Amino acid sequence: MRVIGYVRASTDKQELSPEAQERALRDWASVTGAEIVGLEADKGVSGAAPLEKRPGLLRAIERIGEGRDADEL
């Protein structure tokens, strides 16, 4: 399974930083056998922000699907 990872944090002071989220994604991939083929991020973006205010998530969504970079997000 090819996946695009996505991380988001509204501030650098969050308990689960983007870097920690990326480590968790890589740990998950090693256990499940998934191949992370890309990583998108929205740093400094609130979880309440609408989709159009999350460019990293929009890029990630564009990269998944039949004939794209990855099968899942």
Side-chain angles (χ1 to χ4, degrees), residues 13-29:
K13 296 178 182 175
Q14 282 191 227
E15 185 176 319
L16 195 54
S17 69
E19 295 77 19
Q21 292 174 47
E22 183 177 348
R23 281 191 303 275
L25 283 169
R26 295 195 185 285
D27 290 346
W28 167 82

Side-chain angles (χ1 to χ4, degrees), residues 2-22:
R2 299 170 309 140
V3 299
I4 299 292
Y6 173 71
V7 299
R8 186 209 56 82
S10 54
T11 69
D12 289 336
K13 296 178 182 175
Q14 282 191 227
E15 185 176 319
L16 195 54
S17 69
E19 295 77 19
Q21 292 174 47
E22 183 177 348

Side-chain angles (χ1 to χ4, degrees), residues 3-66:
V3 299
I4 299 292
Y6 173 71
V7 299
R8 186 209 56 82
S10 54
T11 69
D12 289 336
K13 296 178 182 175
Q14 282 191 227
E15 185 176 319
L16 195 54
S17 69
E19 295 77 19
Q21 292 174 47
E22 183 177 348
R23 281 191 303 275
L25 283 169
R26 295 195 185 285
D27 290 346
W28 167 82
S30 69
V31 169
T32 63
E35 176 188 6
I36 298 175
V37 296
L39 182 69
E40 298 291 346
D42 282 323
K43 296 180 182 179
V45 177
S46 169
L51 183 59
E52 63 270 11
K53 301 281 185 176
R54 297 179 183 206
L57 182 55
L58 288 172
R59 284 190 305 273
I61 291 169
E62 289 175 1
R63 296 178 69 180
I64 60 173
E66 190 173 327

